[in-house]
Amino acid sequence: MEEKKIVRNQIRQKLHSMPKSSYEKRSSLIAQNVRNLKEWEEAKLIAITISNFPEVDTRRLIENAWVDGKRVAVPKCEPKSKTMHFRKLESFEQLERVFFGLWEPILDKTELVEDTDIDLMFVPGLAFNRKGYRLGFGGGYYDRYLSKYSGITVSLAFSDQLLDNIPVESHDLPVDKIITPNEVIVCEH
């Protein structure tokens, strides 16, 4: 869909122009807002991606999770089938760089996590509206995964990533909350 491609490029340009100091400060505020969530407090196992700049920094959240006694799972994508599963992460040493510069778990150093064990899922995206719909990175991995996931979903976003209108298709599934540096948006869908 051409409209999605245009929006993705616009958001990427905005994010890449953000000064590093602003990026770090905003990511820190988002991490603080996450730690104040009831859902964070109650979660025993969180599922989260390993971010690359200029996505909201997730490494700090992962470290917070370990400090708070939570288990962490990160996605492993299967490009041939366009599916993914999650694997338990106990150290950043258990990661490797794969296609598109993404960080993923090393299979023989991590163990599989059952979908039903995930209490809180952090869903990545490039752009969001206040109803919780997101524009992802274009691979469709999360859309397919979320169609069978019934737990709590949260996205992390800088204010620049919130748009009034984003292209939404029938298979798109909204998240429950969006956490920004300034607010926690409860999405009504």
Side-chain angles (χ1 to χ4, degrees):
M1 187 178 198
E2 189 63 28
E3 188 182 359
K4 284 187 175 186
K5 192 175 181 181
I6 292 167
V7 174
R8 280 188 186 104
N9 287 336
Q10 289 171 340
I11 295 295
R12 277 192 181 108
Q13 286 174 350
K14 253 188 208 178
L15 293 176
H16 277 287
S17 68
M18 186 187 325
K20 186 83 168 159
S21 60
S22 177
Y23 164 80
E24 289 171 358
K25 182 178 182 192
R26 291 182 194 181
S27 287
S28 178
L29 290 169
I30 290 170
Q32 286 173 20
N33 287 341
V34 168
R35 278 184 106 176
N36 291 330
L37 290 175
K38 175 179 67 89
E39 293 88 347
W40 173 268
E41 189 180 312
E42 294 174 354
K44 291 177 180 61
L45 174 64
I46 66 160
I48 191 166
T49 60
I50 305 294
S51 61
N52 280 322
F53 178 83
E55 297 170 86
V56 173
D57 179 19
T58 59
R59 286 180 184 256
R60 181 173 301 160
L61 272 175
I62 292 167
E63 290 167 347
N64 289 344
W66 290 330
V67 166
D68 293 348
K70 299 180 186 315
R71 293 181 302 145
V72 175
V74 294
K76 174 69 180 160
C77 295
E78 304 294 342
K80 285 182 181 159
S81 61
K82 291 240 181 217
T83 60
M84 68 179 187
H85 62 274
F86 285 83
R87 303 188 70 82
K88 188 175 177 188
L89 186 74
E90 296 173 323
S91 159
F92 291 121
E93 306 296 312
Q94 295 173 309
L95 297 170
E96 64 183 344
R97 268 204 193 268
V98 295
F99 55 92
F100 302 118
L102 298 174
W103 290 97
E104 289 194 349
I106 300 169
L107 289 178
D108 63 0
K109 292 186 178 181
T110 56
E111 62 185 64
L112 184 67
V113 168
E114 295 299 322
D115 306 345
T116 52
D117 290 340
I118 299 170
D119 300 307
L120 180 59
M121 167 90 53
F122 288 87
V123 183
L126 271 171
F128 305 87
N129 69 19
R130 290 183 167 271
K131 291 184 176 177
Y133 287 96
R134 59 184 258 290
L135 183 59
F137 293 87
Y141 288 91
Y142 271 87
D143 290 324
R144 280 185 283 285
Y145 191 90
L146 291 174
S147 69
K148 58 184 174 39
Y149 176 72
S150 59
I152 299 164
T153 55
V154 171
S155 287
L156 310 174
F158 298 117
S159 303
D160 306 353
Q161 294 175 270
L162 291 175
L163 303 177
D164 291 334
N165 293 306
I166 60 169
V168 176
E169 296 180 61
S170 59
H171 64 269
D172 292 337
L173 297 168
V175 296
D176 299 313
K177 289 186 177 180
I178 301 169
I179 315 303
T180 75
N182 308 317
E183 63 183 321
V184 173
I185 301 165
V186 177
C187 304
E188 297 183 20
H189 34 77

PDB file of all heavy atoms in Angstrom, residues 67-83:
ATOM      1  N   VAL A  67      16.024  -6.234  36.821  1.00  0.00           N
ATOM      2  CA  VAL A  67      16.150  -5.681  38.183  1.00  0.00           C
ATOM      3  C   VAL A  67      14.857  -5.939  38.971  1.00  0.00           C
ATOM      4  O   VAL A  67      14.893  -6.256  40.162  1.00  0.00           O
ATOM      5  CB  VAL A  67      16.466  -4.167  38.135  1.00  0.00           C
ATOM      6  CG1 VAL A  67      16.274  -3.511  39.496  1.00  0.00           C
ATOM      7  CG2 VAL A  67      17.884  -3.943  37.628  1.00  0.00           C
ATOM      8  N   ASP A  68      13.719  -5.819  38.289  1.00  0.00           N
ATOM      9  CA  ASP A  68      12.417  -6.013  38.940  1.00  0.00           C
ATOM     10  C   ASP A  68      12.030  -7.487  39.078  1.00  0.00           C
ATOM     11  O   ASP A  68      10.913  -7.805  39.481  1.00  0.00           O
ATOM     12  CB  ASP A  68      11.324  -5.269  38.159  1.00  0.00           C
ATOM     13  CG  ASP A  68      11.471  -3.753  38.224  1.00  0.00           C
ATOM     14  OD1 ASP A  68      12.267  -3.258  39.047  1.00  0.00           O
ATOM     15  OD2 ASP A  68      10.787  -3.057  37.438  1.00  0.00           O
ATOM     16  N   GLY A  69      12.937  -8.390  38.705  1.00  0.00           N
ATOM     17  CA  GLY A  69      12.679  -9.824  38.869  1.00  0.00           C
ATOM     18  C   GLY A  69      11.775 -10.436  37.809  1.00  0.00           C
ATOM     19  O   GLY A  69      11.197 -11.501  38.018  1.00  0.00           O
ATOM     20  N   LYS A  70      11.651  -9.781  36.679  1.00  0.00           N
ATOM     21  CA  LYS A  70      10.808 -10.304  35.598  1.00  0.00           C
ATOM     22  C   LYS A  70      11.634 -11.140  34.630  1.00  0.00           C
ATOM     23  O   LYS A  70      12.829 -10.924  34.475  1.00  0.00           O
ATOM     24  CB  LYS A  70      10.169  -9.148  34.831  1.00  0.00           C
ATOM     25  CG  LYS A  70       9.285  -8.305  35.710  1.00  0.00           C
ATOM     26  CD  LYS A  70       8.650  -7.176  34.951  1.00  0.00           C
ATOM     27  CE  LYS A  70       7.895  -6.268  35.888  1.00  0.00           C
ATOM     28  NZ  LYS A  70       7.060  -6.927  36.864  1.00  0.00           N
ATOM     29  N   ARG A  71      10.958 -12.061  33.961  1.00  0.00           N
ATOM     30  CA  ARG A  71      11.595 -12.788  32.868  1.00  0.00           C
ATOM     31  C   ARG A  71      11.337 -11.997  31.589  1.00  0.00           C
ATOM     32  O   ARG A  71      10.325 -11.305  31.460  1.00  0.00           O
ATOM     33  CB  ARG A  71      11.028 -14.203  32.756  1.00  0.00           C
ATOM     34  CG  ARG A  71      11.409 -15.066  33.961  1.00  0.00           C
ATOM     35  CD  ARG A  71      10.888 -16.479  33.868  1.00  0.00           C
ATOM     36  NE  ARG A  71       9.439 -16.465  33.737  1.00  0.00           N
ATOM     37  CZ  ARG A  71       8.736 -17.342  33.005  1.00  0.00           C
ATOM     38  NH1 ARG A  71       9.327 -18.290  32.352  1.00  0.00           N
ATOM     39  NH2 ARG A  71       7.426 -17.259  32.943  1.00  0.00           N
ATOM     40  N   VAL A  72      12.260 -12.103  30.653  1.00  0.00           N
ATOM     41  CA  VAL A  72      12.186 -11.352  29.401  1.00  0.00           C
ATOM     42  C   VAL A  72      12.255 -12.323  28.231  1.00  0.00           C
ATOM     43  O   VAL A  72      13.071 -13.250  28.231  1.00  0.00           O
ATOM     44  CB  VAL A  72      13.357 -10.349  29.306  1.00  0.00           C
ATOM     45  CG1 VAL A  72      13.370  -9.646  27.957  1.00  0.00           C
ATOM     46  CG2 VAL A  72      13.280  -9.329  30.444  1.00  0.00           C
ATOM     47  N   ALA A  73      11.403 -12.093  27.243  1.00  0.00           N
ATOM     48  CA  ALA A  73      11.443 -12.887  26.012  1.00  0.00           C
ATOM     49  C   ALA A  73      11.558 -11.929  24.831  1.00  0.00           C
ATOM     50  O   ALA A  73      10.949 -10.855  24.827  1.00  0.00           O
ATOM     51  CB  ALA A  73      10.180 -13.730  25.881  1.00  0.00           C
ATOM     52  N   VAL A  74      12.359 -12.330  23.854  1.00  0.00           N
ATOM     53  CA  VAL A  74      12.551 -11.503  22.659  1.00  0.00           C
ATOM     54  C   VAL A  74      12.204 -12.329  21.422  1.00  0.00           C
ATOM     55  O   VAL A  74      12.309 -13.557  21.427  1.00  0.00           O
ATOM     56  CB  VAL A  74      13.992 -10.943  22.575  1.00  0.00           C
ATOM     57  CG1 VAL A  74      14.243  -9.970  23.716  1.00  0.00           C
ATOM     58  CG2 VAL A  74      15.030 -12.038  22.573  1.00  0.00           C
ATOM     59  N   PRO A  75      11.775 -11.653  20.345  1.00  0.00           N
ATOM     60  CA  PRO A  75      11.306 -12.382  19.171  1.00  0.00           C
ATOM     61  C   PRO A  75      12.436 -12.954  18.310  1.00  0.00           C
ATOM     62  O   PRO A  75      13.502 -12.367  18.177  1.00  0.00           O
ATOM     63  CB  PRO A  75      10.534 -11.325  18.388  1.00  0.00           C
ATOM     64  CG  PRO A  75      11.143 -10.032  18.790  1.00  0.00           C
ATOM     65  CD  PRO A  75      11.596 -10.207  20.204  1.00  0.00           C
ATOM     66  N   LYS A  76      12.142 -14.108  17.736  1.00  0.00           N
ATOM     67  CA  LYS A  76      12.988 -14.734  16.725  1.00  0.00           C
ATOM     68  C   LYS A  76      12.106 -14.891  15.483  1.00  0.00           C
ATOM     69  O   LYS A  76      11.087 -15.562  15.520  1.00  0.00           O
ATOM     70  CB  LYS A  76      13.484 -16.101  17.210  1.00  0.00           C
ATOM     71  CG  LYS A  76      14.251 -16.890  16.170  1.00  0.00           C
ATOM     72  CD  LYS A  76      15.581 -16.251  15.884  1.00  0.00           C
ATOM     73  CE  LYS A  76      16.356 -17.043  14.844  1.00  0.00           C
ATOM     74  NZ  LYS A  76      17.397 -16.254  14.215  1.00  0.00           N
ATOM     75  N   CYS A  77      12.484 -14.194  14.412  1.00  0.00           N
ATOM     76  CA  CYS A  77      11.692 -14.232  13.179  1.00  0.00           C
ATOM     77  C   CYS A  77      12.133 -15.387  12.280  1.00  0.00           C
ATOM     78  O   CYS A  77      13.312 -15.723  12.226  1.00  0.00           O
ATOM     79  CB  CYS A  77      11.836 -12.912  12.419  1.00  0.00           C
ATOM     80  SG  CYS A  77      11.140 -11.524  13.329  1.00  0.00           S
ATOM     81  N   GLU A  78      11.171 -15.948  11.595  1.00  0.00           N
ATOM     82  CA  GLU A  78      11.419 -17.008  10.619  1.00  0.00           C
ATOM     83  C   GLU A  78      11.037 -16.447   9.249  1.00  0.00           C
ATOM     84  O   GLU A  78       9.867 -16.496   8.863  1.00  0.00           O
ATOM     85  CB  GLU A  78      10.577 -18.244  10.949  1.00  0.00           C
ATOM     86  CG  GLU A  78      10.779 -18.804  12.347  1.00  0.00           C
ATOM     87  CD  GLU A  78      12.162 -19.373  12.574  1.00  0.00           C
ATOM     88  OE1 GLU A  78      12.880 -19.652  11.586  1.00  0.00           O
ATOM     89  OE2 GLU A  78      12.548 -19.519  13.743  1.00  0.00           O
ATOM     90  N   PRO A  79      12.008 -15.864   8.507  1.00  0.00           N
ATOM     91  CA  PRO A  79      11.697 -15.178   7.246  1.00  0.00           C
ATOM     92  C   PRO A  79      10.997 -16.050   6.191  1.00  0.00           C
ATOM     93  O   PRO A  79      10.143 -15.558   5.476  1.00  0.00           O
ATOM     94  CB  PRO A  79      13.067 -14.718   6.730  1.00  0.00           C
ATOM     95  CG  PRO A  79      13.923 -14.657   7.953  1.00  0.00           C
ATOM     96  CD  PRO A  79      13.415 -15.736   8.859  1.00  0.00           C
ATOM     97  N   LYS A  80      11.314 -17.341   6.147  1.00  0.00           N
ATOM     98  CA  LYS A  80      10.696 -18.212   5.124  1.00  0.00           C
ATOM     99  C   LYS A  80       9.192 -18.328   5.323  1.00  0.00           C
ATOM    100  O   LYS A  80       8.427 -18.265   4.383  1.00  0.00           O
ATOM    101  CB  LYS A  80      11.341 -19.591   5.125  1.00  0.00           C
ATOM    102  CG  LYS A  80      12.713 -19.592   4.481  1.00  0.00           C
ATOM    103  CD  LYS A  80      13.317 -20.972   4.443  1.00  0.00           C
ATOM    104  CE  LYS A  80      14.703 -20.894   3.818  1.00  0.00           C
ATOM    105  NZ  LYS A  80      15.541 -22.019   4.169  1.00  0.00           N
ATOM    106  N   SER A  81       8.776 -18.477   6.589  1.00  0.00           N
ATOM    107  CA  SER A  81       7.349 -18.632   6.875  1.00  0.00           C
ATOM    108  C   SER A  81       6.694 -17.321   7.307  1.00  0.00           C
ATOM    109  O   SER A  81       5.494 -17.265   7.525  1.00  0.00           O
ATOM    110  CB  SER A  81       7.144 -19.686   7.960  1.00  0.00           C
ATOM    111  OG  SER A  81       7.799 -19.284   9.160  1.00  0.00           O
ATOM    112  N   LYS A  82       7.516 -16.258   7.465  1.00  0.00           N
ATOM    113  CA  LYS A  82       7.037 -14.944   7.932  1.00  0.00           C
ATOM    114  C   LYS A  82       6.324 -15.066   9.281  1.00  0.00           C
ATOM    115  O   LYS A  82       5.323 -14.416   9.541  1.00  0.00           O
ATOM    116  CB  LYS A  82       6.118 -14.295   6.901  1.00  0.00           C
ATOM    117  CG  LYS A  82       6.851 -13.874   5.644  1.00  0.00           C
ATOM    118  CD  LYS A  82       6.705 -12.396   5.468  1.00  0.00           C
ATOM    119  CE  LYS A  82       7.393 -11.948   4.206  1.00  0.00           C
ATOM    120  NZ  LYS A  82       8.025 -10.688   4.347  1.00  0.00           N
ATOM    121  N   THR A  83       6.852 -15.941  10.134  1.00  0.00           N
ATOM    122  CA  THR A  83       6.303 -16.115  11.476  1.00  0.00           C
ATOM    123  C   THR A  83       7.392 -15.780  12.491  1.00  0.00           C
ATOM    124  O   THR A  83       8.549 -15.574  12.129  1.00  0.00           O
ATOM    125  CB  THR A  83       5.831 -17.574  11.706  1.00  0.00           C
ATOM    126  OG1 THR A  83       6.961 -18.445  11.539  1.00  0.00           O
ATOM    127  CG2 THR A  83       4.716 -17.958  10.747  1.00  0.00           C
TER     128      THR A  83
END
